[in-house]
Amino acid sequence: MEKKKKKKKKKSSGRLSTNHRLKKCKLANSPVKIHKKRKLREEWVSPLVEKYWFQRYDLFSRYDEGIEMDEEGWYSVTPEEIAIRHAQRCGNGIVIDCFAGVGGNAIQFAKMCYSVVAIDIDPRKVELALNNAKIYGVEDYIDFIVGDFFQLAPSLKGDIVFLAPPWGGPSYRSIEKFKLGFLKPKDGFTMFQVAQAITPNIIMFLPRNVDLSQVEELSWLSSPPLEVEIEENYVRNNVKGVTAYFSGAACG
Ligand code: MGP
Ligand code: SAH
């Protein structure tokens, strides 16, 4: 029996016609695809999340060590490379991450800044962010708060306010020019004014299709107007969002 098998194998390893070669290529590719699909099924992510799951190592490089997310977390988390960039711009003060989600930004702030206050209105997000912060070993540098940023704002103190609010879900992409009024749970102008009462050093992470003239208008809410610097943020040559740095957070 064993001998027969060996013989068969030898036969099929002879020269291949072009057609056979094509077949061989297809077969060589298929195990990879099957493997990916199998992994996806093991983890189970919703169809909405699938696209983001394929980008999982861009979102968290340590994804395989036990990172956890819910659906909103998947499509909202700031990719790690961009979160690092945000943190590099914060210096060494106290950062308030007002819409912390599953912790993409808070973790990078904690790695680079003095300390972080991470707020989210959804208790599950705070649980997930704490889990994720532990994976990066930075949980001791973050004060997690479950609460509404707008209610907490009058009692908050910090050197930098970071705003990455909900953009209304992945459908933000279908809007030609995203207006600050579309941000949730309150419009961008109100949000900015609430943040400004804490500090003028504000960083906002916004959709790539945001109306840039409105972003500039935010700086005119102060007298004299705040300095503002706006940058596009890329991952693998794809623009993912736009960041506006105000006042001390701007390079000047
Ligand atoms: P995307 O545009 O939904 O994905 O989100 P992608 O892969 O760039 O889409 P495509 O058009 O190229 O196919 C891009 C990034 O925007 C996400 O990784 C998040 O960092 C950020 N993002 C997306 N949404 C819907 C939100 C949101 O509601 N809030 C925040 N803060 N960030 C978001
Ligand atoms: N930067 C985050 C993603 C933020 S997504 C990351 O990298 O993981 C926006 C978050 O804002 C959501 O998790 C949502 O629960 C939270 N949120 C919505 N309204 C809020 C409010 N009023 N106060 C605080 N958090 C709020």
Side-chain angles (χ1 to χ4, degrees):
M1 196 57 175
E2 193 54 33
K3 260 189 187 168
K4 248 190 188 172
K5 256 191 191 168
K6 267 190 185 163
K7 253 191 184 172
K8 244 191 177 174
K9 210 176 173 187
K10 211 177 173 189
K11 228 182 178 179
S12 64
S13 65
R15 280 178 67 90
L16 296 167
S17 71
T18 318
N19 269 352
H20 278 110
R21 259 195 226 124
L22 276 177
K23 258 189 191 162
K24 205 182 171 193
C25 287
K26 275 188 188 160
L27 281 174
N29 280 337
S30 61
V32 178
K33 278 190 187 155
I34 287 166
H35 176 70
K36 269 190 186 164
K37 282 215 171 116
R38 202 174 290 147
K39 211 165 172 228
L40 193 60
R41 230 178 286 135
E42 270 164 22
E43 242 180 87
W44 201 83
V45 292
S46 70
L48 177 70
V49 162
E50 193 170 327
K51 174 180 105 169
Y52 303 95
W53 184 86
F54 282 109
Q55 303 176 32
R56 61 198 180 284
Y57 300 113
D58 289 338
L59 305 181
F60 287 105
S61 59
R62 298 176 77 165
Y63 180 83
D64 285 345
E65 293 173 46
I67 292 292
E68 287 177 6
M69 282 185 266
D70 63 2
E71 188 167 270
E72 186 184 17
W74 270 109
Y75 64 70
S76 307
V77 62
T78 304
E80 190 164 289
E81 199 183 321
I82 301 174
I84 290 172
R85 163 91 184 141
H86 291 152
Q88 282 168 341
R89 295 292 301 264
C90 279
N92 211 12
I94 298 172
V95 182
I96 307 172
D97 185 352
C98 308
F99 303 92
V102 295
N105 283 106
I107 289 168
Q108 298 307 327
F109 288 138
K111 283 177 83 175
M112 244 167 275
C113 305
Y114 179 67
S115 81
V116 183
V117 177
I119 302 164
D120 204 286
I121 201 163
D122 175 1
R124 179 68 184 138
K125 293 286 190 314
V126 172
E127 274 175 23
L128 295 167
L130 174 60
N131 170 77
N132 298 338
K134 283 180 182 164
I135 287 163
Y136 281 77
V138 293
E139 72 276 20
D140 292 342
Y141 304 98
I142 307 176
D143 287 322
F144 289 100
I145 302 177
V146 178
D148 179 344
F149 163 63
F150 296 96
Q151 281 183 11
L152 293 166
S155 61
L156 295 170
K157 290 193 176 18
D159 301 300
I160 300 258
V161 167
F162 180 76
L163 302 168
W167 303 347
S171 61
Y172 82 88
R173 275 176 273 144
S174 57
I175 300 166
E176 202 188 325
K177 231 179 210 176
F178 187 97
K179 302 286 178 186
L180 291 181
F182 301 154
L183 291 175
K184 304 275 183 260
K186 294 193 182 184
D187 72 274
F189 291 97
T190 305
M191 206 176 282
F192 192 82
Q193 276 176 317
V194 171
Q196 240 188 327
I198 304 170
T199 171
N201 304 324
I202 298 168
I203 302 179
M204 270 181 121
F205 186 49
L206 295 164
R208 57 191 175 219
N209 52 350
V210 70
D211 182 343
L212 291 176
S213 62
Q214 283 198 324
V215 179
E216 280 174 13
E217 274 174 41
L218 289 173
S219 62
W220 307 340
L221 294 173
S222 282
S223 176
L226 298 177
E227 274 187 55
V228 60
E229 187 192 341
I230 300 172
E231 72 180 15
E232 281 187 319
N233 302 108
Y234 289 80
V235 177
R236 298 178 196 280
N237 292 324
N238 295 314
V239 62
K240 294 286 173 181
V242 161
T243 306
Y245 301 89
F246 294 91
S247 188
C251 272

